[in-house]
């Protein structure tokens, strides 16, 4: 533990113990517990490191005026401490455990009514149950708390019961975590095993009693809660216990299913349904869903007569359509949303898993014609949602490879389905002017997906224009990704046109949106890779990099005030250093003044540009390349990387900062009491 | 009895994220889906596993309604719809739908920029989520399904903020979200029909405050900014992109105009244009004054407020900058703060609450030395001011809304427990209604007494009047007899004949018979006569007939006597009656004849 923290903790404990209900922020106690938990997980004995905690605990639990929030925190802290067996013994000897885990104690104090005490009690107890000694504290009230009036308490009690049962269940037929502990600690095995059996019996007995067709709302609540517990348990327990549980409850479950009580449907489904088990063959499901969808859209030709009542309810029902499409996508595994969007998704998904499109098949052709019509119509819908989904659909199709039957070449799906660019390109180009930036971005993305076409080069100027003019980050981000897709699809190692590359890089790096900048650096990364792969020579490689403005992009990125940009640039510069610089120079003295190095490198970069413009494609001199290595070495990249890899608020979100905040808040609070009107009102954001 | 249940998952006795579950008439509705800024992990979102496990939220919830675009009311929306998998309807007003993604996107960028975050939603998720949103118009009743309907009302507070009236059958609930009962520079005051909901769920941020005059606060704000500018200082106002920032912009713009000030005012780039675009687009949602004057001059076309470029922060001379985020925990506002903190001429004005773990929180608590990255420290010499401009109803405003809506019960959320307690007392005293304030996770159950409207046929009324009953009077409830039929989802009370006709049914009469044995040595005729006399003496006021065919008739009851074949002293009484309550009573009284041994055996015809 940090020494500074250790030194602050006693005062913080004093402040907390005396705070009453005046804690400045409702998250601080949670954050303190997070910190203590992290320390325990790292193997520290908290009581040993901070003896003040024991005093704090004793002060809080014996003070009748302690705030419920602080008491609840203390209960959880005690649980955390008691989870370590050594600390458990200390706490047990000081009689703390017996006192705080007796709910009677809290009832007598009149504090049990407060749900946060009950939650603290349950959670404290739960963390205590990390080793078999804790089992002796298993208390019957837990079962009652399962139907507590507070949703949070009831849920915590359920979690706790599940935890206890799992704790007692045999692991891999050899050992329970309990029996393992018994082996390690053979002093009182009998007692522990008895505890364990007693606990399992008590819970099974409870399950049996609590389940059944409910009469009255109290019983209904108990049933619902118990079903939730059961779902939790069945999901986690292993064979012997799992089977035992099932045996215990099967009869009650059957009875409940038969009783058809609507309030129990959902929790019952949770128990009964096994998510991995499809009820019948996928083909059957698919054909079922398809006829359902046909009915939804008013086509009832294939239906039998008796169901007209059903049809009336199903025709035009968005809900049913959504579910059907969802099921359709789910059969091929993917999540989704509103009807059109879902249709597109389902279509894309299905194309990707199945069909070979046969253009000689008449019904296929008709179907495709329909699709073209729909897409054209939807591309100019009033609602941006519809236009956007349409653009996304085109993008997905563009990205997908399908086989045209029979034995034709593979092409992208938009070509196969929509007749390729003659249909889609005008739609996409039009969408570049869409008033809604989401749609513009999706159109750009879709253009980027249709990578095979020569017209892409023609689209580049438009894209550059968007990059420099669009007011929205989405569109500009998409443009940079467009260039990434385009450049990476080029087989040659030199990108299509250098002026374009340079201007994209320089514009991208100067963007206001840091994500545009990060994508620009991804583009730089691509260029880096290509340069070194292609030329096989450092000289030529770095040469083209300077020419394209990759180096200046990296350098400006490194000093960018947006952390992800600086981080990306730093990583790339390190890659560059590893590639360009011989090993002997790769590990230079990092204590060099970074600023100087940056200036040098910038100057160098500028000269290279001048050289380039005067002398055409001639190489930069050997001595300049060496100075690049020196400069790269002197940037202190490794130190920078370490700092940048951490969260930007790690200082202010650190435990030390938290402790300091608690102390400052307490003094400023006493201070503000003397100066009324200074209170910071908690309101919304 | 039917019940309405309200369970806050957030905003129960606190001002954290709002998320409230309502069960009404078999429907489950979630009100708001806010984010808590105080955490860096999943705890920032409501824990939906309390509602249902395995992500079956769509099966459980009938709809989700978002009151306004503040992140503590909508920040968890993409998490809920795209990560937890809720796929049901989501409702919000048009402006909220337009502005919500801007704020979510801004916050996402800041959060991801900061790093060290886990499990946060992406840009694509925000978009996909917004596509599912169904926009609401004010005062338009929207049918969520056959039974559930919702209606939005103007709430003030921020552009697009709405209160919502939720109705299932005759039961209803109103949720206010955040609201303001006094108009400000750009928004109007909240308003609602006298809809008499069963429960009014109201925010209570300023439950105990009678807010000091707004003018005072504004003057104070302008004075401070002005002083700082005059002495050549720079003023930083960290804000959340949209909302109260626009109010402050109007305030400064007007002041600059009036005082003819030259110092530049900047607003974080990218946000100004968009914000003002939407404020112009949704001009009907602003207050009357802005709506009236916008043809001559749109209040949101600021003359003095310009887009900010990062490099301007180093410009010499005074300036005012609005920058995001509002808690100084990352991004542009923090960068500017770091640059300006060392100069005592500068000032930072915090217009909102800051959570622990942010620089905003530290400086508001008076910390003057801030530890920075790499063991560096930052001396905070600039002036730190806190000025809340959030627009919530104060105690007076809340009481005013109760008077407007006339709820049967009151439920307070979005406030501090102690303050709520105080307001609760006041409400119960003044309005004599129950006031609840459930903590998070606690359920408040209110029993309702739904009145079901029933049409009564004219014929039935006429018949009732013909019988000499009083004329129908809504103030004097009385019993009426008839047949209740349900046709096309409406209820009608009609005469039984009409019911048969309307439903196309035939009438069947049910008669019951039974044999009662009794010992009587007299002849059959004498026994019958004795019964006749007895009944006459017991059942006064009834027509009792002794017919010559050996039958006694009382109302619909027919009595005959015969002797038993085995024993002439044993008489068998044949009783037959039609099924009517009145007749049944008579029969019981008759059966209670002294000395009559009853050995009832009944047989249905």
């Amino acid at each position: 533990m940090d020494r500074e923290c250790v030194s602050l903790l006693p005062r913080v404990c004093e402040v907390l113990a005396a705070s009453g209900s005046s804690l400045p922020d409702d998250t601080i106690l949670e954050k303190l517990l997070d910190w203590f938990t992290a320390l325990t997980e790292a193997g520290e004995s908290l009581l040993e490191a901070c003896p003040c905690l024991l005093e704090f605990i004793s002060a809080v639990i014996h003070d009748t005026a302690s705030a419920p929030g602080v008491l609840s925190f203390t209960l959880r802290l005690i649980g955390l401490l008691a989870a370590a067996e050594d600390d458990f013994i200390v706490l047990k000897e000081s009689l703390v455990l017996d006192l705080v885990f007796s709910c009677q104690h809290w009832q007598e104090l009149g504090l049990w009514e407060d749900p946060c005490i009950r939650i603290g009690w349950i959670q404290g107890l739960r963390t205590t149950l990390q080793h078999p000694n804790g089992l002796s504290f298993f208390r019957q009230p837990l079962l009652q708390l399962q139907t507590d009036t507070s949703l949070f308490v009831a849920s915590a009690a359920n979690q706790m019961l599940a935890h206890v049962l799992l704790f007692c269940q045999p692991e891999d037929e050899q050992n329970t975590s309990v029996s393992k502990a018994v082996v390690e600690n053979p002093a009182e095995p009998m007692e522990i095993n008895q505890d364990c059996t007693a606990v399992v019996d008590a819970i099974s007995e409870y399950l049996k009693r609590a389940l059944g067709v409910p009469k009255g709302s109290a019983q209904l609540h108990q049933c619902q809660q118990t079903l939730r517990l059961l779902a939790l348990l069945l999901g986690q327990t292993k064979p012997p216990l799992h089977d035992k549980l099932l045996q215990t409850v099967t009869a009650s479950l059957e009875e409940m299913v038969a009783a058809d009580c609507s309030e129990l449907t959902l929790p019952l489904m949770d128990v009964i349904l096994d998510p991995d088990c499809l009820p019948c063959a996928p083909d059957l499901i698919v054909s079922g869903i398809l006829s359902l969808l046909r009915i939804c859209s008013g086509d009832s030709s294939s239906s039998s007569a008796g169901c007209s009542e059903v049809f009336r309810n199903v025709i035009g029902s968005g809900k049913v359509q959504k579910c059907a499409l969802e099921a359709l996508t789910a059969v091929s595994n993917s999540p989704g949303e509103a009807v059109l969007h879902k249709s597109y998704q389902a279509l894309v998904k299905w194309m990707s898993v199945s069909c070979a499109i046969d253009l000689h098949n008449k019904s296929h052709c008709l179907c495709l014609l329909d699709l073209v019509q729909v897409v054209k119509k939807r591309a100019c819908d009033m609602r941006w949602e519809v236009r956007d989904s349409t653009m996304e659909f085109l993008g997905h199709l563009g990205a997908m490879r399908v086989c045209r039957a029979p034995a034709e070449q593979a092409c992208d799906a938009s070509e196969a389905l929509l007749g390729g660019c003659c249909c889609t390109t005008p739609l996409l180009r039009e969408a570049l002017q869409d008033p809604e930036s989401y749609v513009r971005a999706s159109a750009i993305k879709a253009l980027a997906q249709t990578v095979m076409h020569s017209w892409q080069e023609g689209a580049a100027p438009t894209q550059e224009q968007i990059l420099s003019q669009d007011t929205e980050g989405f569109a500009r981000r998409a443009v940079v990704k467009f260039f990434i897709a385009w450049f990476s699809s080029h087989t040659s190692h030199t990108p299509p046109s250098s002026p374009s590359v340079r201007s994209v890089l320089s514009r991208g790096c100067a963007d206001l949106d840091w994500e545009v900048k990060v994508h620009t650096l991804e583009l730089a990364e691509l260029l880096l890779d290509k340069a070194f792969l292609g030329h096989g020579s450092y000289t030529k490689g770095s040469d083209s990099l300077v020419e394209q403005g990759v180096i200046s992009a990296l350098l400006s990125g490194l000093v960018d005030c947006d952390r992800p940009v600086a981080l990306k640039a730093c990583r790339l510069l390190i890659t560059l250093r590893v590639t360009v610089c011989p090993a002997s120079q790769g590990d230079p003295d990092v204590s060099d003044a970074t600023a100087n190095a940056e200036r040098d490198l910038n100057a160098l970069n500028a000269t290279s540009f001048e050289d380039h413009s005067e002398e055409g494609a001639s190489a930069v001199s050997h001595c300049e390349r060496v100075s690049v290595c020196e400069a790269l070495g002197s940037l202190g990249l490794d130190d920078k990387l370490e700092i940048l890899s951490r969260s930007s608020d790690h200082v202010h979100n650190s435990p030390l900062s938290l402790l300091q905040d608690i102390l400052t808040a307490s003094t400023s609070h006493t201070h503000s009491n003397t100066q009324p009107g200074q209170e910071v009102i908690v309101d919304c954001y | 009895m039917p019940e309405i249940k309200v369970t806050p998952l957030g905003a129960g006795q606190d001002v954290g994220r709002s998320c409230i579950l309502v069960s009404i008439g078999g429907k489950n509705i979630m009100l708001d889906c806010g984010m808590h800024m105080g955490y860096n992990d999943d705890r920032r979102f409501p824990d939906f596993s309390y509602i249902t496990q395995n992500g079956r939220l769509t099966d459980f919830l009938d709809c989700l309604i978002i009151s306004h675009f503040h992140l503590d009311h909508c920040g968890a929306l993409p998490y809920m719809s795209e990560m937890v998998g809720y796929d049901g309807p989501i409702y919000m007003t048009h402006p909220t739908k337009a502005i919500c993604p801007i704020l979510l996107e801004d916050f996402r960028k800041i959060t991801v920029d900061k790093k060290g975050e886990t499990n946060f939603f992406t840009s694509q998720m925000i978009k996909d989520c917004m596509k599912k949103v169904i926009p609401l118009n004010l005062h338009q009743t929207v049918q969520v399904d056959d039974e559930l309907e919702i209606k939005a009302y103007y709430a003030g507070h921020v552009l697009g903020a709405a209160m919502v009236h939720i109705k299932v059958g005759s039961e209803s609930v109103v949720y206010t979200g955040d609201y303001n009962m006094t108009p400000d520079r750009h928004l109007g005051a909240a308003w609602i029909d006298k809809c008499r909901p069963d429960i009014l769920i109201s925010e209570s941020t300023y439950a105990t405050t009678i807010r000091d005059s707004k003018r005072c606060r504004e003057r104070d704000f302008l004075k401070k900014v002005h002083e700082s500018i005059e002495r050549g200082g720079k003023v930083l106002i960290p804000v959340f992109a949209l909302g109260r920032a626009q109010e402050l912009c109007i305030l400064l713009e007007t002041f600059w105009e009036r005082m003819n000030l030259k110092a530049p005012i900047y607003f974080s780039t990218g946000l100004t244009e968009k914000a003002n675009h939407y404020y112009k687009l949704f001009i009907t949602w602003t207050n009357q004054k802005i709506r009236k004057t916008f043809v001559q001059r749109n209040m949101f076309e600021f003359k003095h407020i310009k887009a900010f470029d990062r490099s301007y922060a180093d410009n010499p001379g005074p300036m005012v900058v609005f920058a995001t985020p509002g808690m100084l925990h990352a991004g542009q506002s923090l960068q500017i703060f770091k640059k300006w903190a060392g100069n005592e001429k500068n000032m930072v004005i915090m217009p909102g609450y800051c959570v622990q773990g942010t620089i905003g929180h530290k400086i508001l608590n008076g910390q003057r030395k801030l530890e920075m990255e790499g063991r560096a420290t930052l001396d905070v010499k600039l002036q730190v001011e806190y000025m809340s401009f959030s627009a919530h109803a104060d105690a007076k405003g809340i009481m005013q809304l109760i008077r407007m809506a006339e709820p049967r019960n009151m439920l307070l959320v979005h406030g501090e427990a102690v303050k709520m307690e105080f307001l609760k007392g006041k409400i119960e005293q003044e309005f004599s209604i129950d006031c609840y304030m459930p903590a998070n996770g606690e359920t408040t159950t209110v029993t309702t007494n739904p009145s079901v409207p029933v049409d009564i046929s004219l014929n039935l009324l006429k018949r009732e009047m013909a019988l000499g009953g009083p004329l129908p009077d809504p103030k004097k409830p009385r019993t009426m007899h008839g047949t209740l039929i349900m046709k096309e989802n409406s209820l009608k009370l009609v005469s039984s004949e009409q019911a048969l006709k309307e439903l196309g049914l035939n009438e069947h009469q049910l008669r019951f018979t039974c044999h009662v044995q009794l010992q009587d040595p007299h002849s059959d005729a004498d026994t019958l006569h004795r019964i006749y006399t007895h009944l006459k003496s017991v059942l006064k006021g009834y027509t009792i007939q002794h017919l010559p065919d050996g039958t006694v008739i009382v109302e619909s009851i027919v009595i005959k006597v015969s002797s038993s074949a085995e024993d002439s002293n044993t008489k068998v009484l044949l009783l037959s009656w039609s099924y009517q309550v009145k007749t049944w009573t008579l029969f019981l009284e008759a059966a209670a004849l002294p000395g009559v041994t009853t050995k009832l055996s009944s047989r249905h015809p």
Side-chain angles (χ1 to χ4, degrees), chain A residues 157-349:
Chain A
N158 256 354
Q159 301 279 350
M160 168 74 183
L161 288 172
H163 174 83
V164 175
L165 258 196
L166 292 174
F167 186 71
C168 293
Q169 87 168 332
E171 268 176 14
D172 303 331
E173 294 182 5
Q174 302 159 0
N175 286 319
T176 59
S177 27
V178 172
S179 52
K180 241 190 249 165
V182 170
V183 175
E184 290 158 15
N185 188 6
E188 21 184 356
M190 279 304 287
E191 205 175 302
I192 289 165
N193 268 333
Q194 275 168 4
D195 277 348
C196 220
T197 323
V199 166
V200 174
D201 287 350
I203 297 179
S204 312
E205 189 51 43
Y206 173 76
L207 285 176
K208 207 170 174 178
R209 239 181 317 119
L211 291 174
V213 180
K215 302 172 191 80
S217 68
Q219 249 185 37
L220 176 69
H221 182 58
Q222 186 174 31
C223 269
Q224 285 171 327
Q225 280 301 108
T226 312
L227 283 171
R228 286 179 169 201
L229 173 63
L230 196 58
L232 253 174
L233 289 174
L234 292 178
Q236 292 176 36
T237 45
K238 289 184 200 117
L241 186 57
H242 188 270
D243 298 349
K244 187 181 171 195
L245 282 175
L246 268 184
Q247 266 174 14
T248 315
V249 298
T250 309
S252 319
L253 286 181
E254 281 172 3
E255 198 188 330
M256 288 161 87
V257 171
D260 194 23
C261 167
S262 65
E263 284 98 335
L264 291 179
T265 313
L266 273 180
L268 265 175
M269 296 267 281
D270 282 342
V271 172
I272 297 164
L273 279 185
D274 182 355
D276 296 326
C277 158
L278 275 173
C280 56
D283 280 355
L284 271 177
I285 298 176
V286 172
S287 70
I289 296 171
L290 287 178
S291 26
L292 188 61
L293 279 170
R294 261 181 233 122
I295 296 169
C296 284
S297 52
D299 170 13
S300 55
S301 55
S302 60
S303 55
S304 55
C307 311
S308 63
E309 183 69 25
V310 178
F311 290 163
R312 217 179 304 145
N313 292 318
V314 170
I315 290 175
S317 160
K319 225 173 185 173
V320 175
Q321 278 173 308
K322 248 162 57 174
C323 289
L325 288 166
E326 203 167 59
L328 209 52
T329 5
V331 181
S332 58
N333 278 324
S334 142
E337 87 227 23
V339 177
L340 178 83
H341 191 74
K342 285 216 160 105
S343 318
Y344 279 148
Q345 261 190 345
L347 192 54
V348 166
K349 201 74 207 175

Side-chain angles (χ1 to χ4, degrees), chain B residues 391-419:
Chain B
H392 295 274
D394 61 5
K396 229 165 76 188
I398 297 171
M399 302 301 260
Q400 201 183 333
L401 188 79
I402 300 177
R403 243 166 263 132
M404 250 184 198
E406 289 191 359
R408 293 191 183 89
N409 296 277
M410 190 69 193
L411 192 145
L412 301 177
V413 293
H414 201 279
E416 290 160 61
V418 190
K419 296 182 182 175

